[in-house]
Amino acid sequence: MKLVDDSAVVSGTTTTTTTGDTTTTTTTTTTVTETDTTEDTTDSTATETMTDTATNTETAASTVLTSDVFYGDVNLDGTISLADVILFNKANAGSVALNEQATLNADCDGSGSVSTEDALVLLRFLVQLVDVLPYTG
C-alpha cells in the first residue's frame, strides 16, 4: 500500500471596479484539495486507486461610496436606467429609504433637494429630451 501526501492548490483574484461614485472590490478565492490518494496492490494485475477532491470557491464583494455625485444613478449600479426612476418613485412615496449617496444622485435638477421635479428630469433624460444632468434649465 502506498499513501501519497495531501496536496492543495489555492488561487485567487481581486478585481476593483470604479463606476461613477461607486468603487466595488470583488475577491474570488478558489481552493482545490486532493486528499487520501491510496494505491493498493495485492498482486501484479490488481490496482485500486482512490482520490477524493474537494473544491471550495468563495466570493466577497464590498462597495465603498464616495462623495462624487453621478446624477440619475439612484440605485448605485453605475448606469442610468428606468430602474433608477422606479427606485426614485418608491423612495418619494415612502416605500423605501435612500442612503446618502443615492439621495445625492437623485437630485437631477441640481436644486439641493429631492422632489418630484427630479423624477421628471430623470425621465426626460432617459427619453433624450435632456442632454445633461443635473438639468437646471
Side-chain angles (χ1 to χ4, degrees):
M1 177 182 287
K2 181 179 176 184
L3 180 60
V4 179
D5 292 336
D6 294 346
S7 62
V9 177
V10 178
S11 64
T13 59
T14 299
T15 306
T16 301
T17 307
T18 302
T19 54
D21 57 346
T22 304
T23 301
T24 302
T25 303
T26 303
T27 304
T28 302
T29 305
T30 303
T31 306
V32 178
T33 306
E34 295 180 17
T35 58
D36 297 333
T37 301
T38 307
E39 292 182 11
D40 186 10
T41 306
T42 55
D43 59 35
S44 62
T45 60
T47 301
E48 180 181 338
T49 302
M50 283 181 42
T51 303
D52 293 331
T53 303
T55 303
N56 183 16
T57 302
E58 297 177 20
T59 302
S62 61
T63 302
V64 179
L65 299 177
T66 62
S67 62
D68 294 331
V69 178
F70 183 25
Y71 293 102
D73 183 22
V74 180
N75 65 0
L76 305 177
D77 68 351
T79 62
I80 301 172
S81 66
L82 189 56
D84 296 299
V85 176
I86 292 168
L87 181 60
F88 180 95
N89 286 328
K90 284 183 177 184
N92 202 31
S95 299
V96 297
L98 299 178
N99 67 21
E100 183 179 350
Q101 188 66 55
T103 302
L104 289 171
N105 291 358
D107 183 19
C108 295
D109 65 1
S111 66
S113 64
V114 179
S115 66
T116 55
E117 182 62 31
D118 295 300
L120 294 174
V121 169
L122 184 53
L123 282 170
R124 289 181 189 130
F125 178 80
L126 287 172
V127 296
Q128 300 176 353
L129 295 174
V130 171
D131 295 330
V132 65
L133 294 176
Y135 178 75
T136 58

